[in-house]
Amino acid sequence: MLGLMQDYPLLTHTILDHAALNHGEREQVTRSVEGPIRSTTLAQIRTRALKVAKALAGEGVSLGDRIATMAWNTDRHLETWFGIMGNGAICHTLNPRLFADQLDYIVNHAEDDIMFVDLTFVPLVEALQNRFGTVRKYIVLTDSEHMPETSLPGAVAYEDWIAAVDDDFAWGDFDENTAAALCYTSGTTGNPKGVLYSHRSNVLHGLTVNQPDVFGLTSEDVIMAIVPMFHANAWALTYAAPAAGAKLVMPGAGMDGKSIYELLENEKVTATAAVPTVWLGLLQYLDETGKKLPYLQKVVIGGAACPPMMIRRFELDFDVEVIHGWGMTEMSPVGTTGKLKHATLNLDREARLKLKEKQGRTPYLVEMKIVGDDGKELPRDGKVFGHLLVRGPAVSKSYFKLDQDILTADGWFDTGDIATIDSLGFMQITDRDKDVIKSGGEWISSIEIENEAVGCPGVAEAAVIGLPHPKWSERPLLLVIREVGSDIDKEAVLVYLDGKIAKWWMPDDVVFVDEIPHTATGKIQKMTLREQFKDFEFGD
Ligand code: ADP
């Protein structure tokens, strides 16, 4: 017997309708790409998103067409994003930090029809336009005053383009499982893969991340989404914030410490989210200027392991709660967040800070487990580590146009991460499965050694890779970039690590390098390093 409740499809534009009706006056603030701070409201965002949807319809765009954006987090990008989805088309966010060949592959694979592009990226797109064979029109996210001379086909200033239509448009009416957005993984191995979100998965994920122990936003909050919309959907804040009626602050191209601080201070931001490198910039700025963070209550840090030092600085020096998060493009992207819970209230300060180094627990609507190489579930004891598998309504089951199921036989997605889960449900990433070092039948976590090594005075950055070893199968090699002015040597690093990691985890050698390669999303390129050091021989 079926229930007798209404059939109310979960469509992303229903979020904007709700926001405009109930929080229409709520201010939304952007550092514009042109420079000045710009202020709008949720009601205006909706009106202009309707115009985008209508103007797209006028261009012949309809259900399932891929419309690309290459843009910073701004009000115009937000309008575009909701307008594309509300039209029924698919919003394909492009990461401008990808290499030219990856962008070429992605745009052609997606068969993008129209591209919205920020002023910053016009030269980049101009250089690639001949390779973007399917794109017939470029809309530059600016006004006529700032519109550059450009060779892009059909180029028009966004403000002129939407001024030509009114907002008298009915959002598309379609099934909630209709594709809404497309985002490619950066493809550290092989070609990038397209993750295709649905309206339903986006709405559910927006609600998922706004549970009290995750972002927990209310209409009183001011949330600055620093994590880009082009990198895993700004961690779903673009849904969570309007649904809650929060004030959303969008930093545009200003990602340096000073620009971030100005917005935090002037807009009285209460919560924010970004990857660790952004916070390094802010902390440096705070140190240089002696400024404090009087309004900020919590900061969500994820996308890469949050260094223990960063947790301490925010919590102890600035009285800001750190919530460590983990996730991935295929998970929409949030998988876990590390807010402490009732059972941890009696822990002392050191133990609480230590627990925050873990990547955290799953919110409702994400499930996770760890399994061994044989696929059997491993205990949640915080010690044993295994392959981390997940499932939920906002987790991928297949990639765009690849036409193959990517789940295990019992329906779980293998994240490619190796982790422990403790009895309280806190997960800790120990490595990527490709990077974990298999020594004498046991696993060594390269990340854990790196985390300890960067704490060593004189070490600016560290990377650990496993290299073949005749006796142990693989052994760890530690690569270090020295801090400017430091002359730290191998012995000093090893003495520092002694006692901090298990004896058999001690790197067999330490090599000092000038550079450690990173992917477009800031991750260490261990494949490149393994290739670079493939002929390296460990001494005795
Ligand atoms: P890509 O950068 O390749 O596009 P994602 O941005 O989806 O992919 O990155 C997902 C991966 O990033 C995770 O599988 C994990 O390895 C890593 N990651 C994300 N957050 C954390 C974290 N807090 N700690 C450690 N690793 C993390």
Side-chain angles (χ1 to χ4, degrees):
M1 190 186 295
L2 295 179
L4 291 173
M5 305 312 278
Q6 292 184 8
D7 191 10
Y8 181 95
L10 303 178
L11 300 170
T12 53
H13 50 256
T14 60
I15 293 178
L16 213 47
D17 289 345
H18 164 83
L21 194 60
N22 297 284
H23 306 283
E25 76 295 343
R26 192 63 162 132
E27 197 188 7
Q28 311 283 295
V29 173
T30 293
R31 181 186 296 282
S32 69
V33 178
E34 295 84 359
I37 303 295
R38 193 166 54 221
S39 174
T40 177
T41 63
L42 278 170
Q44 283 169 340
I45 297 268
R46 176 178 179 271
T47 300
R48 287 160 59 92
L50 278 162
K51 287 175 154 223
V52 171
K54 184 167 182 171
L56 283 173
E59 302 280 356
V61 171
S62 64
L63 206 62
D65 290 343
R66 271 78 68 197
I67 305 298
T69 66
M70 193 188 282
W72 300 107
N73 291 7
T74 68
D75 47 3
R76 288 183 182 140
H77 195 185
L78 192 65
E79 294 155 11
T80 304
W81 155 299
F82 276 107
I84 294 169
M85 295 184 212
N87 164 292
I90 300 171
C91 180
H92 176 199
T93 43
L94 287 167
N95 182 345
R97 297 182 186 135
L98 294 178
F99 308 109
D101 284 347
Q102 288 177 314
L103 284 171
D104 177 3
Y105 173 85
I106 289 173
V107 170
N108 286 297
H109 187 264
E111 297 174 77
D112 291 327
D113 181 27
I114 290 179
M115 190 182 292
F116 290 83
V117 54
D118 256 338
L119 281 172
T120 324
F121 307 122
V122 168
L124 171 68
V125 175
E126 279 176 338
L128 289 171
Q129 60 177 302
N130 293 335
R131 296 163 75 178
F132 292 168
T134 59
V135 182
R136 63 182 160 108
K137 187 180 183 81
Y138 290 86
I139 298 163
V140 183
L141 289 160
T142 191
D143 51 24
S144 45
E145 194 188 328
H146 296 91
M147 183 69 182
E149 286 279 327
T150 171
S151 59
L152 292 173
V156 57
Y158 173 78
E159 292 296 338
D160 293 345
W161 182 70
I162 60 167
V165 294
D166 58 30
D167 63 345
D168 182 16
F169 184 75
W171 297 120
D173 182 19
F174 35 76
D175 187 279
E176 63 178 16
N177 288 302
T178 303
L182 180 63
C183 182
Y184 281 72
T185 63
S186 48
T188 18
T189 50
N191 279 327
K193 295 189 277 293
V195 175
L196 192 59
Y197 309 102
S198 66
H199 281 263
R200 173 187 154 83
S201 73
N202 280 348
V203 170
L204 285 176
H205 200 59
L207 296 177
T208 301
V209 303
N210 209 28
Q211 292 173 70
D213 275 5
V214 191
F215 285 110
L217 299 175
T218 71
S219 62
E220 290 179 32
D221 274 304
V222 182
I223 169 83
M224 171 141 81
I226 302 177
V227 53
M229 291 158 75
F230 59 71
H231 190 207
N233 310 311
W235 299 349
L237 286 170
T238 44
Y239 306 113
K247 170 170 157 181
L248 183 63
V249 179
M250 294 163 274
M255 305 295 266
D256 59 290
K258 180 167 185 278
S259 307
I260 297 288
Y261 176 79
E262 274 171 13
L263 283 177
L264 289 174
E265 174 77 9
N266 296 344
E267 302 306 325
K268 300 188 170 52
V269 171
T270 57
T272 177
V275 295
T277 40
V278 168
W279 300 124
L280 282 178
L282 177 72
L283 288 170
Q284 196 182 341
Y285 176 76
L286 294 173
D287 287 342
E288 283 163 12
T289 57
K291 293 189 190 299
K292 295 285 176 203
L293 298 169
Y295 306 107
L296 193 61
Q297 293 161 14
K298 64 183 164 200
V299 51
V300 182
I301 306 179
C306 177
M309 165 283 286
M310 193 172 281
I311 300 174
R312 285 170 186 272
R313 300 258 10 235
F314 273 114
E315 296 245 339
L316 304 179
D317 298 352
F318 297 99
D319 199 22
V320 174
E321 180 185 12
V322 170
I323 301 182
H324 191 180
W326 162 87
M328 59 198 311
T329 309
E330 287 91 334
M331 298 181 72
S332 293
V334 179
T336 59
T337 44
K339 192 173 171 70
L340 299 185
K341 63 178 192 174
H342 182 259
T344 65
L345 288 180
N346 292 332
L347 293 177
D348 64 27
R349 193 181 81 173
E350 275 308 304
R352 289 165 68 105
L353 286 169
K354 192 79 196 147
L355 188 53
K356 283 180 179 249
E357 292 174 21
K358 296 195 176 192
Q359 278 73 8
R361 345 178 237 115
T362 49
Y364 171 58
L365 291 184
V366 181
E367 283 186 55
M368 68 177 172
K369 66 176 179 180
I370 47 170
V371 302
D373 284 336
D374 57 3
K376 290 219 176 71
E377 186 161 0
L378 294 169
R380 293 180 169 235
D381 63 4
K383 294 192 188 78
V384 177
F385 47 95
H387 303 276
L388 180 60
L389 309 189
V390 293
R391 65 178 180 187
V395 177
S396 304
K397 63 177 177 185
S398 181
Y399 292 108
F400 184 50
K401 286 195 196 166
L402 284 189
D403 217 16
Q404 80 199 62
D405 191 332
I406 51 172
L407 306 184
T408 60
D410 56 349
W412 292 74
F413 174 78
D414 186 340
T415 62
D417 285 325
I418 303 290
T420 62
I421 304 176
D422 67 22
S423 58
L424 293 177
F426 285 83
M427 180 275 286
Q428 184 160 32
I429 300 281
T430 44
D431 234 321
R432 294 289 294 168
D433 57 10
K434 294 177 203 76
D435 301 332
V436 70
I437 299 159
K438 297 189 168 129
S439 172
E442 302 273 359
W443 287 359
I444 297 176
S445 159
S446 65
I447 291 184
E448 225 166 290
I449 306 177
E450 285 161 10
N451 278 347
E452 291 299 345
V454 290
C456 177
V459 172
E461 196 178 350
V464 172
I465 51 169
L467 291 182
H469 188 281
K471 181 163 174 206
W472 301 108
S473 129
E474 276 185 347
R475 288 297 299 159
L477 171 69
L478 170 60
L479 306 170
V480 167
I481 302 182
R482 286 192 184 97
E483 265 173 11
V484 181
S486 162
D487 59 357
I488 188 167
D489 62 9
K490 171 178 162 181
E491 296 328 309
V493 176
L494 291 179
V495 166
Y496 176 85
L497 288 178
D498 192 22
K500 296 194 172 65
I501 53 173
K503 276 237 159 338
W504 63 278
W505 284 31
M506 282 300 253
D508 279 27
D509 213 335
V510 183
V511 173
F512 292 90
V513 292
D514 294 332
E515 201 182 359
I516 290 176
H518 288 89
T519 65
T521 50
K523 298 184 173 73
I524 298 176
Q525 276 182 323
K526 299 219 172 157
M527 236 174 36
T528 313
L529 285 175
R530 281 192 291 267
E531 181 59 27
Q532 210 175 317
F533 285 88
K534 69 177 188 304
D535 298 325
F536 183 87
E537 285 186 21
F538 288 117
D540 292 329

